[in-house]
């Protein structure tokens, strides 16, 4: 029996990652990782490509390493997309049931979803590509529908609230072109925070309500979940590299030394502990202020029983947990 192989590619500002995995036959086990590849990202800024040639070169290095460790030639892959071009839009629309017996079928549902998309203001969707249309709630004759779908129910008016996760169209095309230039076909695209939530968050956390905050090198990505569904996605142009830059300026040291200092490493020079903490805390507070403001904007401030889960390279910053709790 042929192996079921899947390849995932994540092109971040700091690092490009490639993973090769084998799907289990039973469907009950986790995929088995066969190989991985990493390379320093080049030609990117805040998650979008500024130099396609440099990005493809970095991707080739990561692919070569993944092929060597897995023993598999990579020809097709799934691609995750992030960066400051990623955002979410909520739209609501309603239709009248078309069938004479008033029973909702798939035709009605498709029509409703299309109507929701058409209701998005043109100013919010221009130059953007929808990568995930997600129904959040259905109402039938102004009453909430329990369950994942209203198909088979009877009524007159069907309403839907939908979340559309979008990205800048030219950014998406640039990423796909970079991957294809490396000789790999893109099977499908997934928003990076949605992919991360599958391995980082539990179902109970997403049902209760939580937020996933990924602190990357140059971006802070926030995904809010409730009732086991994503409610909002936002990306801010600030990341752990900003802390490195602050330390380099504040202590007049090289960037690599500042990076080491940020992560709590031992350095060859002595710095006042309080000043070090003040510099790091000031930037972290800015990040958590952005998170708090967004949660307030989408109506989830103080309403996430499962809390905020912090991931990404910035999650390893010394004292980040204490700072988050005090924000």
């Amino acid at each position: 029996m042929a192996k079921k192989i899947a390849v995932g590619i994540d092109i971040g500002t700091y690092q490009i990652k490639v993973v090769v995995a084998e799907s289990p036959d039973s469907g009950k086990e986790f995929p088995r990782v066969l190989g991985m590849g990493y390379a320093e990202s080049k030609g990117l800024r805040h998650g979008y490509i500024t130099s396609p040639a440099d990005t493809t070169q970095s991707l080739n290095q990561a692919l070569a390493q993944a092929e060597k460790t897995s023993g598999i030639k990579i020809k097709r892959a799934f691609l995750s997309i992030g960066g400051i071009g990623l955002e979410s839009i909520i739209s609501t629309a309603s239709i009248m049931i078309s069938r004479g017996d008033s029973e909702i079928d798939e035709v009605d549902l498709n029509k409703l979803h299309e109507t929701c998309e058409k209701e998005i203001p043109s100013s919010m969707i221009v130059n953007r590509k929808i990568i995930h249309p997600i129904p959040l709630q259905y109402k039938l004759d102004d009453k909430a529908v329990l369950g994942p779908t209203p198909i088979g129910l009877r009524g007159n008016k069907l309403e839907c609230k939908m979340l559309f996760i979008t990205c800048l169209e030219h950014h998406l095309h640039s990423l796909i072109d970079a991957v294809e230039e490396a000789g790999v076909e893109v099977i499908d695209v997934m928003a990076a925070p949605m992919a991360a939530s599958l391995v980082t968050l539990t179902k109970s956390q997403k049902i209760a309500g939580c937020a996933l905050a990924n602190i990357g090198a140059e971006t802070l990505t926030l995904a809010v979940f409730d009732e086991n569904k994503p409610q909002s996605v936002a990306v801010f142009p600030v990341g752990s590299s900003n802390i490195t830059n602050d330390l380099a300026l504040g202590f007049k040291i090289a960037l690599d030394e500042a990076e080491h200092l940020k992560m709590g490493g031992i350095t060859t020079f002595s710095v006042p502990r309080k000043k070090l903490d003040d510099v790091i805390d000031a930037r972290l507070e800015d990040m958590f202020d952005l998170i708090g403001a967004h949660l307030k904007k989408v109506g989830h401030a103080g309403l996430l029983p499962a809390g905020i889960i912090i991931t990404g390279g910035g999650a390893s910053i010394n004292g980040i947990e204490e700072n988050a709790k005090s924000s």
Side-chain angles (χ1 to χ4, degrees), residues 56 60 63 73-76 178-185:
T56 298
N60 278 326
L63 287 168
K73 177 66 177 176
I74 297 174
K75 298 180 179 179
R76 307 170 74 225
V179 175
E180 291 182 344
E181 186 67 26
V184 178
E185 177 190 352

Side-chain angles (χ1 to χ4, degrees), residues 37 54 68 103 108 113 135 138 151 186 207 217-218 238 260 310 314 325:
D54 288 343
K68 183 177 180 179
E103 183 177 327
D108 292 312
H113 292 171
Y138 292 105
I151 290 179
V186 176
I207 290 175
E218 294 183 349
V238 60
H260 194 60
I310 304 172
K325 289 178 179 178

Side-chain angles (χ1 to χ4, degrees), residues 67-82:
E67 289 178 340
K68 183 177 180 179
T69 55
S70 67
I72 293 172
K73 177 66 177 176
I74 297 174
K75 298 180 179 179
R76 307 170 74 225
F78 294 91
L79 175 65
S80 75
I81 181 168

